[in-house]
Amino acid sequence: IIIPTDVYRASLHETRVFNILTSVRGGTQIPLDYVRREFESLDLSDSFTAALYTATSHLTAPFAVRSSAVVEDAPTSSWAGQFLTILGVQTSGLARSLVRCWSSIFTAPVASYASVNNLDLRQIYMAVVIQEMISPIWAGVLFTGINLKRQKNSNSVLFEAVRGLGEKLVSGAIGPEVRAEARLSDFGIRSREIRRSSDARRMHHPDESSKIPDLVISELARGASKLQEIHDQEFLDIEW
């Protein structure tokens, strides 16, 4: 389920936040803590909340409620981990989680990241994605056009994985337990690296001790290649 940016814009107009943002002029800092608290106190209309529950009635809780801001995944700035993702949300908590995702625009890290990228927080609009959660054995991220040394290589896809939910990897809370490099030409595995605690050990051939089947890595590489074609981009950052 996708809550589009239009809903964010309309909700913004219903709060005192809108008046604050429109009154701020160049050189004046937005009072982030106050704005965020005001936004988080927003009560969505009964009609919208009912529509939200109806739209998700065919899905099974718990849910992941994820930000999808218009500035994310840009060619020069990924915004990875800047906005809020809320996991394990029950149906009764969807509306409040939606508002919390919106309000995550008004945090110090986001303001700093926006400043570095010459963006005003008022230029950021956010859609929100609501998904059924699963219990993965492994999850992670793929980077196309990057090798295991994080150097550009058009025939490579870098694979990073952790056990269980991938949010702890994406948020930067922990590093990858397994890293691998596959070829985009034939989806074969070029090398693999397994990390235990603070140690890292590289193997130039697949090792069963990683417990991630070669076929999984190869199929993920194949999927990454298809996404490159669809988006006509060499460098992609893909969560799986």
Side-chain angles (χ1 to χ4, degrees), residues 158-219:
L158 174 62
F159 166 102
E160 295 188 342
V162 293
R163 300 170 199 270
L165 295 171
E167 181 62 24
K168 53 184 178 281
L169 173 65
V170 175
S171 67
I174 66 170
E177 295 179 48
V178 175
R179 302 174 75 236
E181 179 186 346
R183 295 182 296 272
L184 286 169
S185 55
D186 62 4
F187 314 118
I189 300 172
R190 183 174 282 148
S191 60
R192 187 179 304 206
E193 176 181 296
I194 301 169
R195 298 183 173 192
R196 298 183 181 87
S197 300
S198 60
D199 298 325
R201 180 164 56 94
R202 174 174 298 177
M203 288 149 284
H204 296 284
H205 301 284
D207 187 318
E208 290 302 317
S209 65
S210 72
K211 298 182 181 178
I212 301 180
D214 296 351
L215 179 61
V216 171
I217 297 176
S218 295
E219 284 302 305

Side-chain angles (χ1 to χ4, degrees), residues 138-155:
W138 291 91
V141 187
L142 298 173
F143 302 93
T144 60
I146 304 292
N147 65 20
L148 201 60
K149 295 181 180 180
R150 286 196 170 273
Q151 299 169 331
K152 291 184 178 180
N153 185 323
S154 60
N155 189 35

